[in-house]
Amino acid sequence: VNKCFFIGHVGQEPELRYTRNGDAVTTLSLATSRSAKDPNSDGWIEVTDWHRLVFFKKLAEVVGEYVTKGSRIHVEGYQRTREWLDEGRHKRYI
């Protein structure tokens, strides 16, 4: 099962754009935080992870209109890895 749940804060203004056939696509970065044991002491530290989220069609339009930098959002979806060749013909992943 490939299902992800994220609750976090939006790190930048969402970027809304449209494909050639008119479908909306919105991307944003989401910060999630968790507690982790500090390797240098007996205490705990807060660790922040960044996630790149992509929304499509009507949901993309809603996110682009109502979500702003700093918003706290809950997102449910799935994880996907994409690959491409950069200018130097090296494989890159996101």
Side-chain angles (χ1 to χ4, degrees), residues 19-82:
T19 63
R20 287 186 203 118
N21 63 354
D23 290 335
V25 178
T26 298
T27 57
L28 60 83
S29 59
L30 185 74
T32 58
S33 298
R34 59 188 166 84
S35 295
K37 187 86 165 131
D38 186 352
N40 300 322
S41 71
D42 289 333
W44 291 86
I45 57 173
E46 186 173 300
V47 178
T48 301
D49 296 305
W50 287 93
H51 313 275
R52 178 185 164 106
L53 304 181
V54 182
F55 303 89
F56 298 97
K57 300 190 178 181
K58 185 62 178 172
L59 182 57
E61 292 177 341
V62 171
V63 169
E65 183 175 347
Y66 293 106
V67 175
T68 60
K69 179 179 177 179
S71 296
R72 184 174 169 92
I73 62 173
H74 171 237
V75 179
E76 178 180 333
Y78 64 93
Q79 182 175 349
R80 184 175 83 183
T81 302
R82 294 181 285 150

